[in-house]
Amino acid sequence: MIRSTAALVLLAACGTAIADGPRARDLGVPFDGAPGPLNAITDVPGVTVGQVTLIEDLPDGRKVRTGVTAVLPRGRQSLDTPVYGAWFPLNGNGEMTGTAWLDESGQLEGPVMLTNTHSVGVVRDAVIAWRIRAGGPDASGYWWSLPVVAETWDGDLNDINGFHVRPEHAWRALDEASGGPVAEGNVGGGTGMICHEFKCGIGTASRRVVAGDQKYTLGALVQANYGRRDTLRIAGVPVGQDLPAGDTGGPHSDSGSIIVVLATDAPLLATQLKRVAKRAALALGRMGSFAGNGSGDIFIAFSTANAAAFTGRPLVESKSLGNDYLDPLFAAAVQATEEAIVNAMVAARDMHGQDGHFTPAMPHDRLVELLKRYGRYAPPP
Amino acid sequence: MIRSTAALVLLAACGTAIADGPRARDLGVPFDGAPGPLNAITDVPGVTVGQVTLIEDLPDGRKVRTGVTAVLPRGRQSLDTPVYGAWFPLNGNGEMTGTAWLDESGQLEGPVMLTNTHSVGVVRDAVIAWRIRAGGPDASGYWWSLPVVAETWDGDLNDINGFHVRPEHAWRALDEASGGPVAEGNVGGGTGMICHEFKCGIGTASRRVVAGDQKYTLGALVQANYGRRDTLRIAGVPVGQDLPAGDTGGPHSDSGSIIVVLATDAPLLATQLKRVAKRAALALGRMGSFAGNGSGDIFIAFSTANAAAFTGRPLVESKSLGNDYLDPLFAAAVQATEEAIVNAMVAARDMHGQDGHFTPAMPHDRLVELLKRYGRYAPPP
Amino acid sequence: MIRSTAALVLLAACGTAIADGPRARDLGVPFDGAPGPLNAITDVPGVTVGQVTLIEDLPDGRKVRTGVTAVLPRGRQSLDTPVYGAWFPLNGNGEMTGTAWLDESGQLEGPVMLTNTHSVGVVRDAVIAWRIRAGGPDASGYWWSLPVVAETWDGDLNDINGFHVRPEHAWRALDEASGGPVAEGNVGGGTGMICHEFKCGIGTASRRVVAGDQKYTLGALVQANYGRRDTLRIAGVPVGQDLPAGDTGGPHSDSGSIIVVLATDAPLLATQLKRVAKRAALALGRMGSFAGNGSGDIFIAFSTANAAAFTGRPLVESKSLGNDYLDPLFAAAVQATEEAIVNAMVAARDMHGQDGHFTPAMPHDRLVELLKRYGRYAPPP
Amino acid sequence: MIRSTAALVLLAACGTAIADGPRARDLGVPFDGAPGPLNAITDVPGVTVGQVTLIEDLPDGRKVRTGVTAVLPRGRQSLDTPVYGAWFPLNGNGEMTGTAWLDESGQLEGPVMLTNTHSVGVVRDAVIAWRIRAGGPDASGYWWSLPVVAETWDGDLNDINGFHVRPEHAWRALDEASGGPVAEGNVGGGTGMICHEFKCGIGTASRRVVAGDQKYTLGALVQANYGRRDTLRIAGVPVGQDLPAGDTGGPHSDSGSIIVVLATDAPLLATQLKRVAKRAALALGRMGSFAGNGSGDIFIAFSTANAAAFTGRPLVESKSLGNDYLDPLFAAAVQATEEAIVNAMVAARDMHGQDGHFTPAMPHDRLVELLKRYGRYAPPP
């Protein structure tokens, strides 16, 4: 329907192996809780991630620095089988489509898509088109028609008014989504994002927990683009005060947003998943955020359990943890979100973009130095 | 803790059969759907209702016209076994305690209590005391401590500032709750209530439905105290226009509220019960209400299914209907609420009360006449 | 960015006068309250409406039956000056973008757009592009980036999977929006819509009210696509029972949705506008709806007062009605929504569409006959 | 109505001068932002606080360790003049009455009362009785009838099932409320409270901010009773890890809750105050909380500006800050809540209570030592 723009160089359609650089805990940042083997949202069995990164300097001087990230709760099975899901807006200066139905049904049908603010629409309709091309309605007899697409604003580094994201980018992110390591930093929907006035983007982490004698995994993936420098805390260290924006260069910016996607294989109902989603706010508190007026801080959580509850049969059974057994998952949601944000900052690299704007990455050596100065350095194993 | 007021004559601690008078469909009011055998909330197996009615003319001239109604989702089993539940405020000029936990947990622990506005507190603490006296925490290891108590304002007919409801009234309503026919009109929490400027109070109705090839029952109980005369519609007949307040006597009053309690044995999760609760708004629409600013129109819904999900075990199973199969229950919620309101008006009797106030009951003969004039009279079988 | 599809015949009835046919009250349907001069949302000063109607039989047999409707709260001033606004989902099986920011800010920035389910995205991004082309950020220093776009599903009559709505259709609806009479029935976003199993679409109505000694206007515009035949009530008359779907031909369908847009010049704050939006539910109750699971019943309300509160200054003043004076506006919201829905059904015409589907319009003569039979016929003046 | 229990020794520290002990910043805890002169919620002009503390060892061995705290937004003027207000439940395992009307009206009428879980009812009805005794309805023509009363559970140290709070305790807290220093620690509603497994209770703090070139004050008062030891962070220092519960004695307890009351003189509308209330969640994040299932983490915010908007006139004017100018208040809400919690822990003293339970206060010397070890000690001026 819309022709491919061959001129765009698609760099890194990832979900495959990743940054050679260190992650936050490789630098000695201490975190609570035990991560899964990949320390990524893909530690939750079945979850796949696809990312399309658009980085190009156009001949007319415009800079494309954007992309699309797709999270599929059940991988390709997401075509036919929803998950229980819920969302929570800490500060709603942002868009997440599909939330009226998410609230009403308690179900997430299809993927969660992340992109830039001005491309939510094209990605949304593209998800519907992708579902139609897959053929056949889902188990409940419907085609998807209310996709979940969220955004943060990359207009500082990206030519956001150029509307460079096209349907085929969304399709490619969906088609190439896979398990395994997840690319972090300047990739996918996070390509042009900035947080705490450092270059930022996509980050991920996970936690293994025991709840009611069973082991479960909870994973987080963030598209982080929020926050001022001066309030930044990492593992309790007042990094923002000791590394002020003036010292690291780059334009001051306090606009921004963060989308947090939380996945778990613990059997949770929608009511419970809203509670899990809310806990991402506590991770932002740990980072020093005050959720500024311009920030779209929106969180979504889903559970991959209970596939049999979505067969379209009239009467279904769902397993769930009792409310009294949720604390380990609540703690994991805070911890994984916190680490995913720091991972996004650590993985991001310096970026030059639109209108001569430049945003520096967080200097790893300075972070390590501060961790040591404040007695918070945790030597990597 | 608070002494019994022996001087109060307790009329009718009901839940047992009541009014000899006709109910709405006995007068020829047409309703949609098929009622259960009692056409009452107690058609839902396990649900019990207890009502304590306080009517007394005190020596100093004050008029007591109030009471307490208790709805126990699982009868005495409510002591130990919660239900899935949810609530919805159409217009929140009213109180329903316990809703923060209802929202958070998706569960209703213990009974739903109805009383007057100024007695919510005494009834609330009395429910906790009653639970403690019953001994032993509930299945999940807790005592109840966040009871659900709702109210409407009976200060037109009742000496509401006299605080005549005492803990023992709440206890008696709880202790004497039973299945079977439910008293309607000037009883329990509804004793002094007024709606559409007619004497009103407690009303109930039920519907049998088939959803996904299974039969279920949904019942409604209302404490109705809302609405202006001129907008009143019954079964589509513009009763309020043809029977203006001036014709029937009594003071004009547009303050008021309505509490709707919806019970079903259909297996529904909390997310779905919030949807059921919302449908009570559509019944108010049918009655001609515009949900005035002064009205506390608050609805609660619960499902008696899934008792095994509340055993306190870490991992539980819940049955639920698929969302695609809910329409019969949605329709039943509208129908049963509508009929319960009309039943409350039909069962209520003229009342003289505080400060010489008088509120007439709806004249049955005039209603029948209007039904016939508008071609809506449905001869009772 | 996306080329115009010249092959599409744009039958745009753009906010200018329209249907030669009668409106609901011309047929003798009785309504409460006093309408404004146009009995349309455009009776609220400043509100403009633009509609683009796409009806074409494509050579390959596909049928285009869709469009776009734009409601601009302050006409062209909407480019720079938001309004206080709020929304309410009665049943969230639908999409309305922009609601997170609407909730958070209490403001509606830019227009409300209505289209089909699969075109929400293209219209959303097109609104952003339109704002950018207009040049200069709004008064608060921002470009719009979180537009409000809502939908109902026209896939029964329209080739919805053909994605026939293009950005230029949205732009044209915005550019040509005007005051004055508003086209109803098979136009704009409502082109292919169906309600109560009759052909339906766009409808509008208004009410004049006195609140606190001042006169105000409240207008409604609906894109109506909801409901089953059997439950249909018009002015209390059980039309659906006496005019069953089997009698009028056309396929049975119980899917559907309704978007209600409520505008007023009464000075209301966001908290109060949410209350106004909620009242649309009571109008649906009057019509016999039970808000089926498949229905996206989503309402939005805004106030055109207080333009000076949106100048971007740090400290602003807003006028508002006291809560105790809102009842006339609540009643007007119910009444105008009710009449707008009936207007949509009365104005719509028979339609043949995709896959040989046919949906009949409501037969005017049968409606008049029923109004008379039930004593509800109100002779037009 | 209920007789005074003379046997109870009322140790009322009533908003008057207080603990001789140090506050958090006296111990060198670093905080962001600039406090007001009292570093208390009473720095917001007009706000008064009254506290009644009930500590008694009854002859039968029961231990009374509870009380009531009253916050009056406009002092005695609260009798007649509401404030704009809003609330937010981070985790609703708790009670705050009056919230349906708070949501609906955007107004807080009367005081905010804090007590123990089992005494919410008695305090609620007592507030209504107090208002009645004051004579004359409020400016809008109503008596209060939907008071705001919140709670946390002190059953570990207090004989909570003894229901020792009486109406006269609520009345005294209301009558004696004053400006000036606010007692912290084991006082008022906080008497028997525990947080992070240290003795806790009432705490307060304030911030001065500039928003849009005007100076405003925001104050917080908390009744803190939440959290596990191991997650406790103070100013980023992992106090909970270095000072494990086992080291300090006392029973392990992870139940609990926190009520946060936020007051400001900045002119904010209800929509904006909900945003302010939400920010308390970020302070809990800083403290290391994950908002456990058993915790009732409920926040309320109000603005003392705009008294003239509550005169009961039909058309009123309200000042408000533009949304773009709220960030300083959001930051202040986080900072003041954080400091109020630490103040509560610092001010509290060891307590022996019911069933031989003992809860130690946080050892000041150990806290200072840890602040120094982690490079976070801020020498008091």
Side-chain angles (χ1 to χ4, degrees):
Chain A
M1 179 176 40
I2 300 178
R3 258 169 309 146
S4 171
T5 303
L8 279 176
V9 178
L10 300 175
L11 300 177
C14 311
T16 55
I18 201 169
D20 2 303
R23 303 181 76 191
R25 54 177 71 211
D26 298 325
L27 297 183
V29 183
F31 294 105
D32 303 325
L38 298 169
N39 200 10
I41 196 171
T42 42
D43 283 326
V44 180
V47 174
T48 61
V49 175
Q51 305 199 72
V52 169
T53 303
L54 306 176
I55 298 179
E56 188 185 20
D57 295 357
L58 297 181
D60 60 5
R62 292 183 298 160
K63 311 296 184 192
V64 181
R65 305 283 187 270
T66 194
V68 180
T69 295
V71 179
L72 284 77
R74 300 188 192 278
R76 297 290 294 190
Q77 293 303 108
S78 302
L79 280 165
D80 295 305
T81 311
V83 284
Y84 283 119
W87 75 298
F88 174 71
L90 174 65
N91 193 62
N93 203 332
E95 179 65 80
M96 180 180 279
T97 67
T99 52
W101 183 228
L102 192 56
D103 272 341
E104 192 73 41
S105 68
Q107 302 180 9
L108 167 63
E109 299 173 353
V112 177
M113 307 295 287
L114 309 178
T115 187
N116 77 62
T117 310
H118 290 195
S119 299
V120 165
V122 62
V123 170
R124 178 202 181 270
D125 293 355
V127 172
I128 296 177
W130 187 74
R131 181 63 190 82
I132 292 167
R133 291 192 312 176
D138 71 15
S140 70
Y142 281 93
W143 306 86
W144 301 336
S145 55
L146 301 168
V148 172
V149 185
E151 54 70 49
T152 58
W153 190 82
D154 56 17
D156 203 58
L157 291 168
N158 176 46
D159 174 37
I160 192 170
N161 290 346
F163 296 91
H164 299 290
V165 174
R166 303 296 173 92
E168 55 267 30
H169 302 140
W171 297 335
R172 188 164 164 196
L174 287 162
D175 285 333
E176 299 188 355
S178 68
V182 175
E184 296 180 307
N186 305 0
V187 296
T191 300
M193 303 302 163
I194 299 169
C195 64
H196 292 287
E197 303 175 53
F198 285 124
K199 185 68 192 67
C200 204
I202 298 294
T204 190
S206 71
R207 288 295 180 275
R208 305 296 312 275
V209 300
V210 174
D213 293 333
Q214 298 278 329
K215 287 183 186 170
Y216 301 107
T217 300
L218 180 145
L221 182 144
V222 302
Q223 179 169 308
N225 190 47
Y226 76 98
R228 291 205 326 224
R229 175 68 56 81
D230 58 349
T231 70
L232 174 61
R233 295 181 179 191
I234 294 182
V237 172
V239 172
Q241 292 174 14
D242 286 345
L243 213 54
D247 283 17
T248 55
H252 177 79
S253 164
D254 61 358
S255 64
S257 296
I258 180 168
I259 305 297
V260 180
V261 183
L262 294 167
T264 184
D265 55 1
L268 301 180
L269 302 177
T271 311
Q272 299 174 314
L273 287 159
K274 185 173 280 286
R275 306 176 76 187
V276 170
K278 267 189 179 177
R279 268 63 192 176
L282 296 164
L284 285 172
R286 290 185 173 197
M287 301 299 302
S289 169
F290 56 82
N293 172 67
S295 203
D297 300 345
I298 304 182
F299 319 136
I300 187 168
F302 60 81
S303 162
T304 60
N306 288 312
F310 302 97
T311 52
R313 285 197 301 268
L315 193 58
V316 298
E317 289 212 341
S318 303
K319 284 187 163 55
S320 62
L321 285 170
N323 282 325
D324 292 336
Y325 300 87
L326 297 180
D327 280 1
L329 290 156
F330 289 172
V334 179
Q335 295 162 3
T337 302
E338 179 188 28
E339 183 165 359
I341 295 169
V342 185
N343 276 339
M345 277 192 282
V346 167
R349 297 290 173 264
D350 291 358
M351 182 175 275
H352 292 268
Q354 184 73 5
D355 299 327
H357 292 170
F358 168 73
T359 302
M362 185 170 59
H364 293 183
D365 53 349
R366 301 288 297 275
L367 175 60
V368 172
E369 181 191 316
L370 287 171
L371 289 167
K372 289 179 176 169
R373 186 195 311 167
Y374 285 96
R376 292 291 279 153
Y377 179 72
Chain B
M1 180 175 40
I2 300 180
R3 258 169 309 145
S4 170
T5 304
L8 279 175
V9 178
L10 300 175
L11 301 177
C14 311
T16 56
I18 203 169
D20 2 300
R23 303 181 76 191
R25 55 178 71 211
D26 298 325
L27 298 182
V29 182
F31 294 105
D32 303 326
L38 298 168
N39 200 10
I41 196 171
T42 43
D43 283 327
V44 179
V47 175
T48 61
V49 176
Q51 306 198 71
V52 169
T53 304
L54 306 176
I55 298 179
E56 186 184 23
D57 295 356
L58 297 182
D60 60 5
R62 293 182 299 158
K63 310 296 183 191
V64 181
R65 306 284 187 269
T66 195
V68 180
T69 295
V71 180
L72 284 76
R74 302 188 190 277
R76 296 291 293 190
Q77 293 303 108
S78 302
L79 280 165
D80 294 307
T81 311
V83 286
Y84 283 120
W87 75 297
F88 174 71
L90 174 64
N91 193 62
N93 203 332
E95 180 64 79
M96 181 179 279
T97 66
T99 52
W101 183 228
L102 192 55
D103 273 340
E104 192 75 41
S105 68
Q107 303 180 9
L108 168 63
E109 299 172 353
V112 177
M113 307 295 288
L114 309 178
T115 188
N116 77 63
T117 310
H118 290 195
S119 300
V120 165
V122 63
V123 171
R124 178 203 181 271
D125 292 355
V127 172
I128 296 177
W130 186 75
R131 181 63 190 82
I132 291 168
R133 291 193 312 176
D138 70 15
S140 70
Y142 281 94
W143 307 85
W144 300 336
S145 55
L146 301 168
V148 172
V149 185
E151 54 70 47
T152 59
W153 189 83
D154 56 17
D156 204 58
L157 292 167
N158 176 47
D159 174 36
I160 192 170
N161 290 345
F163 297 91
H164 299 289
V165 175
R166 303 294 172 95
E168 55 268 31
H169 302 141
W171 298 333
R172 188 164 165 193
L174 287 163
D175 285 333
E176 300 188 355
S178 68
V182 175
E184 295 179 307
N186 305 0
V187 297
T191 300
M193 302 300 163
I194 299 169
C195 64
H196 292 288
E197 303 176 53
F198 284 125
K199 186 67 192 68
C200 205
I202 298 293
T204 189
S206 72
R207 289 294 180 274
R208 304 296 313 275
V209 300
V210 174
D213 295 332
Q214 297 279 328
K215 288 183 185 169
Y216 301 107
T217 299
L218 180 144
L221 182 145
V222 302
Q223 179 169 307
N225 190 46
Y226 76 98
R228 292 207 322 225
R229 176 68 57 81
D230 58 350
T231 70
L232 174 61
R233 296 179 178 192
I234 294 181
V237 172
V239 173
Q241 292 174 13
D242 286 345
L243 213 53
D247 283 17
T248 54
H252 177 79
S253 165
D254 60 359
S255 65
S257 298
I258 180 168
I259 305 297
V260 180
V261 183
L262 294 167
T264 184
D265 57 359
L268 301 180
L269 302 177
T271 311
Q272 299 175 314
L273 288 160
K274 184 173 280 286
R275 306 176 75 187
V276 170
K278 268 189 178 177
R279 269 62 192 176
L282 297 163
L284 284 173
R286 290 185 172 198
M287 301 299 302
S289 168
F290 56 82
N293 171 67
S295 205
D297 300 345
I298 304 182
F299 319 137
I300 186 168
F302 60 81
S303 162
T304 60
N306 288 312
F310 301 97
T311 51
R313 284 196 301 269
L315 192 59
V316 298
E317 288 212 341
S318 303
K319 285 187 163 55
S320 63
L321 285 169
N323 282 325
D324 293 336
Y325 300 87
L326 297 181
D327 281 2
L329 289 157
F330 289 173
V334 180
Q335 295 162 3
T337 303
E338 180 189 26
E339 185 165 358
I341 295 170
V342 185
N343 276 340
M345 277 191 284
V346 167
R349 297 291 173 265
D350 292 357
M351 182 175 275
H352 292 268
Q354 183 73 4
D355 299 327
H357 291 170
F358 168 74
T359 302
M362 185 169 60
H364 291 183
D365 53 349
R366 301 288 296 276
L367 175 61
V368 172
E369 181 191 314
L370 287 171
L371 289 166
K372 289 179 175 167
R373 187 196 308 167
Y374 286 97
R376 293 291 278 151
Y377 178 73
Chain C
M1 182 174 42
I2 299 180
R3 258 168 312 145
S4 170
T5 304
L8 280 176
V9 179
L10 300 175
L11 302 176
C14 294
T16 56
I18 203 171
D20 0 302
R23 303 181 76 191
R25 53 178 73 211
D26 298 325
L27 298 181
V29 183
F31 293 105
D32 303 325
L38 299 169
N39 200 10
I41 196 171
T42 43
D43 283 327
V44 180
V47 174
T48 61
V49 176
Q51 306 199 69
V52 169
T53 304
L54 306 176
I55 298 178
E56 189 186 21
D57 295 356
L58 297 182
D60 61 3
R62 293 182 299 159
K63 311 296 184 190
V64 181
R65 306 283 187 270
T66 195
V68 180
T69 295
V71 180
L72 283 77
R74 301 189 191 276
R76 296 292 292 189
Q77 293 302 108
S78 302
L79 279 165
D80 294 307
T81 311
V83 286
Y84 282 120
W87 76 298
F88 174 70
L90 175 63
N91 193 61
N93 202 332
E95 180 64 79
M96 180 178 280
T97 66
T99 52
W101 183 228
L102 192 56
D103 273 341
E104 191 74 40
S105 69
Q107 303 180 9
L108 168 63
E109 299 172 354
V112 177
M113 308 294 288
L114 309 178
T115 188
N116 77 61
T117 310
H118 290 194
S119 300
V120 165
V122 63
V123 171
R124 178 201 180 272
D125 292 355
V127 172
I128 296 177
W130 186 75
R131 180 64 190 81
I132 292 168
R133 290 193 311 176
D138 69 15
S140 70
Y142 280 94
W143 305 86
W144 300 337
S145 55
L146 301 168
V148 172
V149 185
E151 53 70 47
T152 59
W153 189 82
D154 57 17
D156 204 58
L157 292 167
N158 176 47
D159 174 37
I160 192 170
N161 290 345
F163 296 92
H164 299 289
V165 175
R166 303 296 172 94
E168 55 267 30
H169 302 141
W171 297 335
R172 188 164 165 194
L174 288 163
D175 285 333
E176 300 188 354
S178 68
V182 175
E184 295 180 309
N186 305 359
V187 296
T191 300
M193 303 301 164
I194 299 169
C195 64
H196 291 289
E197 302 175 55
F198 285 124
K199 186 69 191 67
C200 206
I202 298 294
T204 190
S206 72
R207 289 295 180 273
R208 303 297 312 275
V209 300
V210 175
D213 293 333
Q214 297 278 328
K215 287 183 186 170
Y216 301 107
T217 300
L218 180 144
L221 182 144
V222 302
Q223 179 168 306
N225 190 47
Y226 75 98
R228 292 207 322 225
R229 176 69 56 80
D230 58 349
T231 70
L232 174 61
R233 296 179 178 192
I234 294 181
V237 172
V239 173
Q241 291 173 15
D242 286 344
L243 215 52
D247 283 17
T248 55
H252 176 79
S253 166
D254 61 359
S255 64
S257 296
I258 180 169
I259 304 297
V260 179
V261 183
L262 294 166
T264 186
D265 56 0
L268 301 180
L269 302 177
T271 311
Q272 298 174 315
L273 288 160
K274 185 173 279 287
R275 306 176 75 186
V276 170
K278 267 189 178 176
R279 269 62 191 175
L282 297 164
L284 285 173
R286 290 184 174 200
M287 300 298 302
S289 168
F290 56 82
N293 171 66
S295 205
D297 301 345
I298 303 182
F299 319 137
I300 187 169
F302 60 81
S303 161
T304 60
N306 288 312
F310 302 97
T311 52
R313 285 197 300 268
L315 192 59
V316 297
E317 288 210 342
S318 304
K319 284 186 163 55
S320 63
L321 285 169
N323 282 325
D324 292 336
Y325 300 87
L326 298 180
D327 281 1
L329 290 156
F330 289 172
V334 180
Q335 295 162 3
T337 303
E338 180 189 25
E339 184 164 358
I341 295 170
V342 185
N343 276 340
M345 276 190 284
V346 167
R349 298 290 174 265
D350 291 356
M351 182 175 275
H352 292 268
Q354 183 74 3
D355 299 327
H357 292 170
F358 168 74
T359 302
M362 185 170 59
H364 292 182
D365 54 347
R366 301 287 297 275
L367 175 59
V368 172
E369 180 192 314
L370 287 171
L371 289 166
K372 290 179 175 167
R373 187 196 309 168
Y374 285 96
R376 292 292 277 151
Y377 179 73
Chain D
M1 181 174 42
I2 299 180
R3 258 168 312 145
S4 170
T5 303
L8 279 176
V9 178
L10 300 174
L11 301 175
C14 294
T16 55
I18 202 169
D20 2 302
R23 303 181 75 190
R25 54 178 72 209
D26 298 325
L27 297 182
V29 183
F31 293 106
D32 304 326
L38 298 169
N39 200 10
I41 196 170
T42 43
D43 283 327
V44 180
V47 174
T48 60
V49 175
Q51 306 199 69
V52 168
T53 303
L54 306 177
I55 297 179
E56 188 186 21
D57 295 356
L58 297 182
D60 60 3
R62 294 183 296 159
K63 310 296 183 190
V64 181
R65 305 283 187 271
T66 194
V68 180
T69 296
V71 180
L72 283 77
R74 302 189 191 277
R76 295 291 294 189
Q77 293 302 108
S78 302
L79 279 166
D80 295 306
T81 311
V83 286
Y84 283 120
W87 75 298
F88 174 71
L90 174 64
N91 193 62
N93 203 332
E95 180 63 79
M96 181 180 279
T97 66
T99 53
W101 184 228
L102 192 56
D103 272 341
E104 192 73 41
S105 68
Q107 302 179 10
L108 168 63
E109 300 172 353
V112 177
M113 307 294 286
L114 309 179
T115 187
N116 77 62
T117 309
H118 290 195
S119 300
V120 165
V122 63
V123 171
R124 177 201 180 271
D125 293 355
V127 172
I128 296 177
W130 187 75
R131 180 65 191 79
I132 292 167
R133 290 192 311 174
D138 69 16
S140 71
Y142 280 94
W143 306 86
W144 301 337
S145 55
L146 302 168
V148 172
V149 185
E151 54 69 48
T152 58
W153 190 83
D154 56 17
D156 203 58
L157 291 168
N158 176 45
D159 173 37
I160 191 169
N161 290 345
F163 296 92
H164 299 289
V165 174
R166 303 296 172 94
E168 56 267 29
H169 303 141
W171 298 334
R172 187 164 166 195
L174 288 162
D175 285 333
E176 300 188 354
S178 68
V182 175
E184 296 180 308
N186 306 358
V187 296
T191 300
M193 303 301 165
I194 299 170
C195 65
H196 292 288
E197 303 174 55
F198 285 123
K199 186 67 192 67
C200 205
I202 298 293
T204 190
S206 73
R207 289 296 180 272
R208 303 296 313 274
V209 300
V210 175
D213 293 333
Q214 296 279 329
K215 286 183 186 170
Y216 301 108
T217 300
L218 180 143
L221 181 145
V222 303
Q223 179 169 308
N225 190 46
Y226 76 98
R228 293 206 323 224
R229 175 69 56 80
D230 57 349
T231 70
L232 174 61
R233 294 179 180 193
I234 294 181
V237 172
V239 172
Q241 292 173 15
D242 286 345
L243 215 51
D247 283 17
T248 56
H252 176 80
S253 166
D254 60 359
S255 63
S257 297
I258 181 168
I259 304 297
V260 179
V261 183
L262 294 166
T264 185
D265 55 1
L268 301 181
L269 302 176
T271 311
Q272 299 174 314
L273 287 159
K274 186 174 277 289
R275 305 176 77 187
V276 170
K278 267 189 179 177
R279 268 64 192 175
L282 297 164
L284 285 172
R286 290 184 174 199
M287 300 298 302
S289 169
F290 56 83
N293 171 68
S295 203
D297 300 345
I298 303 182
F299 320 136
I300 187 168
F302 60 81
S303 162
T304 60
N306 288 311
F310 302 96
T311 53
R313 286 197 300 267
L315 193 58
V316 298
E317 288 211 342
S318 303
K319 285 187 162 55
S320 63
L321 284 170
N323 282 325
D324 293 336
Y325 299 87
L326 297 180
D327 281 1
L329 289 155
F330 290 171
V334 179
Q335 295 161 4
T337 303
E338 180 189 26
E339 184 165 359
I341 296 170
V342 185
N343 276 341
M345 277 191 282
V346 167
R349 296 290 173 267
D350 292 357
M351 182 175 275
H352 292 268
Q354 183 73 3
D355 298 328
H357 292 171
F358 168 75
T359 303
M362 185 169 60
H364 292 182
D365 53 347
R366 301 287 297 274
L367 176 59
V368 172
E369 180 192 314
L370 287 171
L371 289 166
K372 290 179 176 168
R373 187 196 310 168
Y374 285 97
R376 292 291 278 152
Y377 179 72

